Amino acid sequence: MPEFICPHCHAVYREKKNLCDADGSLLIEVPVLADLSGQVLKQKYKLDKALGHGGFGSVYKATHLVLGRPVAVKVLRAEFRSDSNMVARFFNEARVVTRLTNPHTINTFDLDQTDDGLLFMVMDFIQGDTLRKLAKAEGDPPGRLPWRRTLKLLIQVCDSLEDAHREGVVHRDLKPYNVMVSNRGGEPDFVKLLDFGIAKVLEGADMASLTTAGMILGSPAYMSPEQVKITNITALSDIYSLVAVAFHALSGTLPVTARQTAAL
C-alpha cells in the first residue's frame, strides 16, 4: 500500500488523494517507508525514533553511542540507492552543508553507507519547532507572528543565506518548514536553516547537473518564477522565497493560493 506525501508541508496521507488538504499541493505517491527505529548504523548511531519522512527519505532522532549525545540522522530511501542522480544529490547535500560555517546553518558532520548499502547523513539535533509550527502555536491569531519577532527570526535566516550565497550556493527550498527555531543556551528564538538537499552550487564546474530535465525541485508556493521555469536560478531566487516566507509568517496565508501545483 503506497502513501502520499505533500512536497510542500510534508504531510503524509495513507489513503489515495491528489491534493494536500493544507495547501493544495499535488501529492507524490511513494512506497511506505520501513521504520528503522532501534537499528544501529555502523556501530555508532542508534536510531531512537522517526521524526518525519518525505520523498527523499526519513529523519530520525538518534544517539551517538560513542559520545552519548543526541543527533539527527537522515536516511535515503532504499529505492533511490540505485538512482545515480538521487545518490549524487544526497552526497551533494553533505558536501555543500559542510562548507557552510554560519551559526544559523545546520551542522552536518558525518556521511556514511552501511554494508547493505543504506546511505545516511548525521547532523546536529535541534530541539525546537519549525517556523510554521511556531506561528500556529504562538501566533495571535494562530498562524500569524508579530512583525518584530518575525523580523528577528528572518534576520538570522538572512545571515545563513548570506554565508551560503558567498560560497556560491543557492538553497532552492527555503520555506517555513526548513526554518527551525530553538532556545540555545538561554537565548530564545535562535534559528537554524535546514535542508540544503536540493541546493545548487552556482559555479558548478566540478559537478554534473543533478536535476532531471523538466523536474522542478523546491516547494512551489515559495518558489520564484524563474525557479518554476527552471531558468536562470540565482541567489535572487532565495530572496524571493524569503519574502514569501515572511508573507506567510506575518499574514498566516500563502502568498500564492492556486489549488494545483502546476498552476503555481
Side-chain angles (χ1 to χ4, degrees):
M1 175 73 68
E3 59 188 9
F4 302 85
I5 295 177
C6 175
H8 163 224
C9 69
H10 303 301
V12 178
Y13 299 89
R14 304 297 180 183
E15 73 281 3
K16 182 174 178 56
K17 293 176 66 69
N18 292 322
L19 301 177
C20 177
D21 291 338
D23 53 61
S25 295
L26 191 65
L27 299 178
I28 300 171
E29 181 178 340
V30 295
V32 175
L33 286 170
D35 188 353
L36 303 180
S37 298
Q39 293 196 25
V40 176
L41 306 183
K42 303 297 287 187
Q43 300 181 330
K44 190 186 296 185
Y45 305 106
K46 181 182 178 182
L47 305 182
D48 297 320
K49 67 175 182 177
L51 298 176
H53 61 276
F56 295 136
S58 299
V59 178
Y60 291 84
K61 181 180 180 181
T63 300
H64 191 304
L65 296 178
V66 176
L67 301 178
R69 58 173 283 196
V71 294
V73 177
K74 179 180 288 187
V75 180
L76 189 67
R77 279 181 173 272
E79 59 267 26
F80 290 146
R81 295 177 209 166
S82 59
D83 184 328
S84 59
N85 281 334
M86 193 66 68
V87 172
R89 244 206 252 126
F90 189 79
F91 277 99
N92 178 51
E93 177 173 2
R95 186 179 69 83
V96 167
V97 176
T98 54
R99 284 170 46 186
L100 306 178
T101 58
N102 189 275
H104 298 295
T105 300
I106 189 69
N107 179 36
T108 300
F109 53 85
D110 198 4
L111 176 71
D112 211 334
Q113 189 168 20
T114 62
D115 293 340
D116 60 356
L118 191 71
L119 285 162
F120 66 94
M121 179 188 308
V122 186
M123 301 162 285
D124 284 337
F125 174 73
I126 308 298
Q127 184 71 52
D129 289 318
T130 66
L131 177 59
R132 189 64 194 137
K133 287 183 179 178
L134 181 72
K136 288 181 178 180
E138 300 184 21
D140 184 18
R144 298 174 57 182
L145 289 175
W147 72 266
R148 291 185 186 276
R149 191 177 189 188
T150 301
L151 179 63
K152 177 184 177 181
L153 296 171
L154 294 187
I155 284 175
Q156 297 173 73
V157 175
C158 289
D159 199 22
S160 174
L161 288 177
E162 182 181 23
D163 179 52
H165 295 166
R166 189 182 301 114
E167 290 291 327
V169 176
V170 178
H171 189 285
R172 288 178 43 133
D173 196 23
L174 183 58
K175 57 189 175 184
Y177 301 94
N178 279 338
V179 178
M180 184 66 71
V181 184
S182 65
N183 186 322
R184 194 181 79 156
E187 180 182 354
D189 286 351
F190 189 87
V191 167
K192 287 280 190 177
L193 184 57
L194 312 180
D195 202 357
F196 282 79
I198 60 174
K200 177 184 179 182
V201 179
L202 292 181
E203 68 270 23
D206 62 343
M207 64 183 293
S209 173
L210 299 180
T211 305
T212 303
M215 179 180 179
I216 296 176
L217 296 177
S219 301
Y222 305 96
M223 286 166 56
S224 65
E226 63 269 22
Q227 188 173 351
V228 174
K229 297 176 182 178
I230 322 180
T231 59
N232 193 33
I233 300 172
T234 69
L236 293 176
S237 295
D238 280 347
I239 303 304
Y240 180 100
S241 299
L242 179 65
V243 173
V245 169
F247 181 93
H248 198 179
L250 291 168
S251 70
T253 61
L254 291 170
V256 181
T257 57
R259 293 294 296 172
Q260 292 281 355
T261 298
L264 294 174

